[in-house]
Amino acid sequence: MSSSILRSIARQSRSSALARSARFASTAAKQQTLKERLAELIPAEIENVKAVRAEHGKKSFGPVLVDQLYGGMRGLPALIWDGSVLDPDEGIRFRGKTIPEIQDLLPKAPGGSEPLPEGLFWLLVTGEVPTQAQVEALSKDWAARAAIPEFVEELLDRCPPTLHPMSQFSLAVTALNHDSTFAKAYQQGVSKKEYWGPAFEDCMDLIAKLPNIAGRIYRNVYGQGKVPAIDPTKDYSWNMANLLGFAEKNDFVELLRLYITIHSDHEGGNVSAHAGKLVGSALSDPFLAFAASLNGLAGPLHGLANQEVLLWLRKMQSKIGENATDEAVKEYVWSTLKNGQVVPGYGHAVLRKTDPRYSAQREFALKHLPNDPLFKLVAQVFNIVPGILLEAGKAKNPWPNVDAHSGVLLTHYGLDQMNFYTVLFGVSRAFGVAAQLIWDRALGARMSSPWSRSYLTLIYHVRSSRATQVVLY
């Protein structure tokens, strides 16, 4: 797509954003609910999409390379995802804002310093930074919706503790479809223009109920006793920590606030986000769509990276001991590479610098656990590995990503059951998936149905084209 087209789209988006900001400024004093604010935003966004499609709908947006077809569609622009964009140099931006910016701008809990995930969800849905009062109201709304049906409780209680926590998580989320507002509204013939309303209610219920589901799984699998009640006066992360049995550790609650916020969204092309959008495009309700996200997140190539980092660090520590010299660490890293293995937690398909999510967790660790032996090792590895990877020619980006740090932080506070880590990731990822599902229904997004081609068709088109970059019809 030409630069003039992109500038035109950007101008239209900026005009829409300015209009939203003006409306927000005029109504902020009323302390609108999230749903009320969303209802105001939707008509303008519908017109914005119509304008973009009318002016640019028949224009090309990049070529399709054969390598992309065989390479998991990596680098292929094929989705609209509004919540976040991954910049190679600045990292993830949530509605245009960097992680340091959201850490500064989003409301905090009383006495806390980390952003509340409630505020991040408001930002993902509206593109606007909420007030403290709006975030507190959202906390209360989610607490009021948090109870899960008795049959779902029984379903989880009957699962053997040997069933992986992610399997139990997906099972419970799928079962919530039983009470789906969207599914019932669709059966009753709700207008397409009104799809977003019941989808919004389902997404709010989904996010609200995830801590209860995750807490029940954790306590059942790891023998932590009865699940406590949700406290309607507390925020989402505090209740999540309490359900896991860690609420008395204020720093752990702060960690959860940071963890959920920075893991909430990461563009739409990753497996979990893409799966949720894809299944939702068939008008499956948000519970079914997010269950698909969880099943993708459970895959070793997607959601298990922080476990692999932690295992690698512990193995290194057991071999070279605590407080090892830089030379010992270097030797261990080289042995990893020479054995044909990767250094887990380093490198990224898009980023060309240290992942800002890693940096945010590093700053947290420097503040709260600077003397933790595993953190010291993580910091040591951070100073050593990039140079080795560059020397070995193993990575275009030799810098750490988000997974290089999170497992160490969770372990420090006693949450060392690694099979549960992906559940925490899943709770976080619901925020981004839910926000996009709401907008997909509001904007009337069509069912995803890309074309596929056979090997023979592919070869025919490649051979018949003189271009090095071919478009397959």
Side-chain angles (χ1 to χ4, degrees):
M1 181 177 286
S2 71
S3 59
S4 61
I5 295 174
L6 290 173
R7 285 195 297 271
S8 175
I9 294 175
R11 283 195 300 271
Q12 291 169 350
S13 298
R14 284 195 295 271
S15 297
S16 177
L18 288 172
R20 291 197 299 268
S21 297
R23 289 195 301 274
F24 180 60
S26 66
T27 57
K30 299 177 184 178
Q31 295 301 346
Q32 290 174 299
T33 66
L34 179 57
K35 192 172 186 179
E36 289 169 344
R37 183 62 188 137
L38 181 59
E40 286 187 346
L41 294 173
I42 287 172
E45 289 301 317
I46 290 174
E47 294 305 314
N48 188 46
V49 170
K50 287 180 179 177
V52 170
R53 293 190 67 175
E55 183 174 354
H56 308 294
K58 304 301 181 183
K59 298 173 183 176
S60 174
F61 194 84
V64 178
L65 305 181
V66 173
D67 275 347
Q68 290 174 314
L69 298 180
Y70 279 104
M73 299 188 290
R74 178 164 292 184
L76 176 65
L79 299 171
I80 293 295
W81 192 271
D82 295 316
S84 63
V85 173
L86 185 58
D87 184 276
D89 296 314
E90 294 185 326
I92 196 71
R93 281 181 171 268
F94 300 105
R95 288 286 190 164
K97 292 178 172 51
T98 64
I99 285 179
E101 287 172 340
I102 65 169
Q103 286 181 289
D104 178 54
L105 292 172
L106 291 182
K108 319 292 190 299
S113 59
E114 298 298 342
L116 290 170
E118 292 90 326
L120 193 280
F121 184 67
W122 188 293
L123 176 67
L124 290 176
V125 172
T126 68
E128 301 162 348
V129 174
T131 65
Q132 188 76 35
Q134 287 169 327
V135 163
E136 290 173 0
L138 191 53
S139 294
K140 289 181 172 62
D141 190 355
W142 283 348
R145 297 169 181 259
I148 57 178
E150 286 188 14
F151 82 92
V152 176
E153 293 180 345
E154 294 172 2
L155 190 66
L156 290 172
D157 291 346
R158 291 178 65 85
C159 287
T162 52
L163 182 63
H164 196 285
M166 280 299 282
S167 299
Q168 297 188 41
F169 199 18
S170 174
L171 185 67
V173 169
T174 300
L176 292 178
N177 152 269
H178 180 272
D179 297 324
S180 167
T181 301
F182 180 85
K184 290 173 182 170
Y186 184 83
Q187 290 298 322
Q188 293 168 1
V190 65
S191 167
K192 291 182 179 180
K193 294 180 179 179
E194 303 301 325
Y195 280 173
W196 74 268
F200 176 89
E201 294 300 327
D202 276 358
C203 286
M204 290 285 281
D205 284 342
L206 170 68
I207 292 173
K209 296 177 190 305
L210 293 182
N212 256 331
I213 293 173
R216 200 171 198 92
I217 293 169
Y218 182 78
R219 288 175 178 269
N220 283 348
V221 173
Y222 303 110
Q224 302 297 317
K226 186 178 179 182
V227 181
I230 292 287
D231 186 339
T233 68
K234 299 291 188 179
D235 65 272
Y236 189 84
S237 302
W238 187 95
N239 273 305
M240 181 76 194
N242 191 45
L243 288 161
L244 297 175
F246 294 90
E248 76 284 355
K249 300 179 180 180
N250 292 331
D251 289 350
F252 180 83
V253 176
E254 280 284 272
L255 173 61
L256 269 190
R257 290 167 182 150
L258 174 65
Y259 180 98
I260 295 173
T261 296
I262 65 176
H263 286 80
S264 63
D265 204 33
H266 202 248
E267 287 199 332
N270 65 78
V271 171
S272 56
H274 187 188
K277 184 179 177 71
L278 174 65
V279 174
S281 77
L283 296 187
S284 299
D285 64 68
F287 302 111
L288 298 179
F290 186 61
S293 296
L294 291 175
N295 290 334
L297 190 62
L301 294 182
H302 189 12
L304 302 187
N306 63 350
Q307 297 181 40
E308 293 175 354
V309 170
L310 193 55
L311 289 170
W312 183 74
L313 290 171
R314 284 177 168 172
K315 186 176 180 180
M316 183 197 305
Q317 199 175 57
S318 68
K319 184 169 183 178
I320 65 177
E322 292 185 8
N323 302 314
T325 65
D326 286 353
E327 286 304 315
V329 173
K330 288 179 182 178
E331 184 178 341
Y332 190 86
V333 173
W334 275 113
S335 69
T336 298
L337 297 175
K338 290 175 180 178
N339 287 331
Q341 301 170 332
V342 300
V343 177
Y346 280 75
H348 195 279
V350 177
L351 281 173
R352 294 298 174 259
K353 60 175 288 185
T354 297
D355 190 335
R357 298 172 299 171
Y358 174 94
S359 299
Q361 293 178 99
R362 174 176 166 80
E363 290 170 6
F364 182 95
L366 287 169
K367 179 180 178 181
H368 296 286
L369 49 133
N371 297 317
D372 180 271
L374 269 177
F375 167 63
K376 286 183 176 181
L377 182 57
V378 167
Q380 197 173 11
V381 168
F382 174 59
N383 291 326
I384 291 172
V385 163
I388 292 178
L389 292 179
L390 286 174
E391 183 180 345
K394 292 292 186 180
K396 294 180 181 178
N397 168 29
W399 307 107
N401 57 51
V402 65
D403 299 308
H405 222 310
S406 56
V408 169
L409 297 178
L410 294 169
T411 297
H412 174 81
Y413 292 105
L415 206 166
D416 56 0
Q417 298 90 352
M418 288 187 290
N419 277 350
F420 191 77
Y421 289 175
T422 322
V423 175
L424 291 181
F425 196 168
V427 172
S428 309
R429 187 47 54 91
F431 286 59
V433 173
Q436 189 61 45
L437 284 172
I438 292 167
W439 273 109
D440 281 353
R441 301 292 78 78
L443 299 176
R446 300 286 296 274
M447 183 171 69
S448 295
S449 53
W451 287 2
S452 62
R453 285 294 178 263
S454 70
Y455 169 77
L456 291 177
T457 306
L458 170 66
I459 293 302
Y460 171 79
H461 280 286
V462 171
R463 289 176 175 172
S464 63
S465 172
R466 295 181 180 179
T468 57
Q469 294 181 335
V470 295
V471 178
L472 303 181
Y473 298 99

